Structure formats: C-alpha cells, structure tokens
Amino acid sequence: MTLGGLDPAIGTAENYREWAQEARGRSPAYDLLATLVADDDAILRFLGTLPPPKRQPNLLFAAARYLLGVPPDITTLRALVSENPAALAQVMLARRTQTNEPARCATLLPALARLPPPLALIEVGASAGLTLLFDRYSYDYAGHLIAGSDPDAPTLRCAPRGPVPLPGGLPIIAWRAGLDLNPLDVTDDDDVRWLSCLVWPGEDDRQERLAAAVAAARRDPPAVHRGDLVKDLPELAAQAPAGATLVIFHSAVLPYVTPENRKRFIDTVRGLPAVWLSNEAPGVVPGISAPRCAGGPFLLVRDGDTPLAYTDGHGAWVQWLAGPPAVTGHAAL
Ligand SMILES: C[S@@+](CC[C@H](N)C(=O)[O-])C[C@H]1O[C@@H](n2cnc3c(N)ncnc32)[C@H](O)[C@@H]1O
C-alpha cells in the first residue's frame, strides 16, 4: 500500500521507477526524469538523508522547479543536489504535495446537484480551497453548458460517459469550509508559486486552469482551516448552518493518511449528520470492490457504500455507473 505516493515496502529507486510509469503519457519529461533518478546514486543518497515520506518524486521535482524557476531535467537536478542540497532539502522539508485541481469540481458536481439545497460543504484535505468553489466555475459537459457565478472564472470541460445526471444549474451553497493540515493561501504569491510548481511539465492546460481558478479565488478567498481530518472535523462540522444539507467530501487525500487514521476518519464521518462523498482511488475506502477502470484513477462513492461514478483524476471525464459494483465485507485499505 502506498502512503503519500511512496510504497514503504520497496526502496526509493523502485518507487521512482513505478512513479515513472504513472507519469508515462502524461508528462514525458517527468517519466524520463524519474527513470534516470532511479539509477542515480548521488540523488538517491541525497533522498536517503530525508525522512521516508519526504522522498516522493512529486515533492523532489516540485521543490527543484521552485528553486530553479523551470522544471528540472537530470542535468539541472544533479547540479542542484551537488551544489545546493541544503536549499533543496529545506524546501522539501517545509513543503508538501498539495496539488489542487479545480477541474475535479466537474466530476463531483452531478452528485452534489442531486442533494437537497441549500448545501453546506466541508472539504477535508482542501489544500488552497480551489475545489470548494463549485458555483463560481462554469461547466461544459460536451455541449451541456452551465454558467457559474463568476464570468471570469474558468470553464471546466468534462466529458460525460454513461447516464450522468447532468444538472440544469448550480446548487445553492449556503456555507463552505476547507480543512487541511497545511492550508495554502490563494492570496499568498509564494503559496501560489508552489501550487504551480506541482503541475507537471507538458500539462499546460492545467497551468492555465490553475491560474484562472486562483484569480477567481482571490476575488473572494475560501476559508480553509488548519487541522486534521480526524481530530478537527467534528468541531468544524458543528459550525455548519442548520437547515442546509451538510456534505463532507475529499479527493486525492486518503492516500496521505495512515491506514489507522483512515479507519478513524471513516468512523468519524459516519458519525456525523452529513452526506459523505469520497473521490479516491478504488480500494481506498473499505468495503467497495470495483474493477479498475482503464485510465480512471478515482471512484466516487457516497456514504462509503454507494459507488456513483469513475472519475478522471484531473476532471477530464466522469463515467456514471449504471449499476453499482459489488459491496464486499472486506476492508481493502
Ligand atoms: C493532493 S492534495 C488534494 C487537494 C484537493 N483535495 C484537490 O482535490 O485538489 C491532498 C491534501 O490533503 C491534505 N492532507 C493530508 N493529510 C491530511 C490530514 N490528516 N488532515 C487534513 N488534511 C490532510 C494535504 O495537506 C493536501 O493539501
């Protein structure tokens, strides 16, 4: 089981080789870079000086990009490791992989829009809160258009697959709050630069979307509270207004949480008067057995027991499930 993008059962070099496969097709530059790092003794030695969770490829490459001003290649990365290892280590120790992908809103919106309005939203693992701004963005589901409240916010393009219940409009959001171990501030230029460094080279459309979403968020910044998704969730949930449907949701967060804390989180969220939407890789939420869907890393599940859709990790498509996959009795953390 991987934790924060690293499998503790295998060595750092092997983790970089596996990660290269993940980058394949999406970012040829990072596919090559991770493959070369896996065989580079000096870089592996440098990584060995860091605590294991800080050895992630995504963190190393984003930190190098942050310092270099451009995405690293093997030559610039080797030079950085040999000439300025302290600066590189400092960024890697201070920062986290907190990629915030606003386009995930397009894959969650059909599920949200079916709930009784108004909605009160809590996103755990919200990063900078860009995935809390459902009603600001506009949407284009292969020609089915929905206008957001901010005409200058980006239009999220998402291909619907299967019987997606596309909404006619946006749900009324009465209240929203994020919770994150380390909230990023959309009004802070350095935090925004870090978010941009986390996008992979070759993904220019994501950079453009991120910049437009940050600009929209800056016009009315979302509240993202500092806290842990187990310990601090009940207190935040208690602040939601009565009379609104409370929705607790998360995307790409539980892989960073230990198996014990995932179980605690699931017990906690189940004990709250809320709809729970989980958008994570299949197997992350226990009890749902679903076959892997080619190219679709996430499974959208309601209340831990009702799979709704496969979703593209970057919001490019949503595949609604006609019939749910089997529910098993086994936890597959
Ligand atoms: C990959 S980002 C995903 C951000 C956002 N959900 C999205 O889909 O764009 C994961 C976020 O989870 C946060 N996180 C990890 N463990 C957490 C915990 N125990 N409590 C709260 N937030 C956590 C990280 O700080 C990070 O901002």
Side-chain angles (χ1 to χ4, degrees):
M1 190 210 66
T2 65
L3 192 57
L6 281 178
D7 183 349
I10 59 176
T12 305
E14 201 45 44
N15 267 302
Y16 274 71
R17 273 188 207 100
E18 287 200 352
W19 194 87
Q21 285 177 27
E22 221 181 283
R24 201 143 298 161
R26 259 183 64 191
S27 177
Y30 274 4
D31 172 4
L32 177 64
L33 185 58
T35 304
L36 294 172
V37 168
D39 288 321
D40 190 297
D41 290 342
I43 299 177
L44 291 174
R45 258 198 316 279
F46 164 76
L47 290 168
T49 65
L50 301 171
K54 292 286 181 181
R55 296 175 192 165
Q56 303 160 47
N58 225 8
L59 184 62
L60 173 68
F61 299 163
R65 182 175 190 164
Y66 182 83
L67 292 170
L68 294 166
V70 289
D73 59 26
I74 194 65
T75 308
T76 54
L77 186 60
R78 276 186 186 131
L80 192 57
V81 164
S82 87
E83 290 159 21
N84 212 346
L88 185 56
Q90 193 189 10
V91 176
M92 292 177 73
L93 291 171
R95 291 285 183 183
R96 296 161 179 268
T97 49
Q98 295 191 258
T99 310
N100 202 184
E101 178 47 78
R104 289 178 185 142
C105 286
T107 59
L108 287 163
L109 179 66
L112 280 188
R114 296 173 107 191
L115 301 172
L119 305 180
L121 302 181
I122 293 182
E123 182 180 16
V124 296
S127 182
L130 300 178
T131 25
L132 274 163
L133 307 179
F134 289 91
D135 46 351
R136 307 254 188 101
Y137 306 127
S138 294
Y139 298 84
D140 181 349
Y141 292 99
H144 179 98
L145 306 179
I146 304 171
S149 65
D150 181 346
D152 295 321
T155 296
L156 307 178
R157 290 183 175 76
C158 178
R161 298 179 180 173
V164 184
L166 293 175
L170 292 165
I172 294 165
I173 300 174
W175 180 88
R176 74 194 87 205
L179 184 64
D180 201 286
L181 282 181
N182 183 51
L184 294 179
D185 179 354
V186 289
T187 68
D188 181 306
D189 289 344
D190 210 35
D191 279 358
V192 169
R193 187 153 79 88
W194 179 247
L195 280 175
S196 154
C197 286
L198 285 162
V199 177
W200 298 357
E203 299 192 307
D204 296 346
D205 54 332
R206 293 187 68 205
Q207 282 292 6
E208 283 165 23
R209 191 163 59 223
L210 175 66
V214 166
R218 281 182 164 182
R219 289 189 272 280
D220 184 6
V224 182
H225 303 267
R226 187 176 297 277
D228 175 77
L229 56 75
V230 178
K231 286 200 274 276
D232 302 300
L233 179 59
E235 195 184 320
L236 187 57
Q239 293 172 32
T245 303
L246 177 59
V247 185
I248 296 170
F249 70 98
H250 51 91
S251 279
V253 173
L254 294 190
Y256 296 92
V257 176
T258 62
E260 299 73 34
N261 281 338
R262 281 186 214 176
K263 286 191 183 120
R264 281 192 202 111
F265 167 70
I266 289 163
D267 289 345
T268 303
V269 80
R270 282 199 164 123
L272 292 169
V275 173
W276 168 32
L277 292 176
S278 162
N279 189 39
E280 302 281 356
V284 167
V285 174
I288 303 289
S289 160
R292 270 211 171 264
C293 171
F298 292 161
L299 184 63
L300 179 61
V301 180
R302 179 179 167 162
D303 296 330
D305 57 16
T306 308
L308 300 176
Y310 286 108
T311 66
D312 176 59
H314 295 152
W317 53 261
V318 53
Q319 180 178 333
W320 211 256
L321 293 165
V327 175
T328 70
H330 296 290
L333 284 179

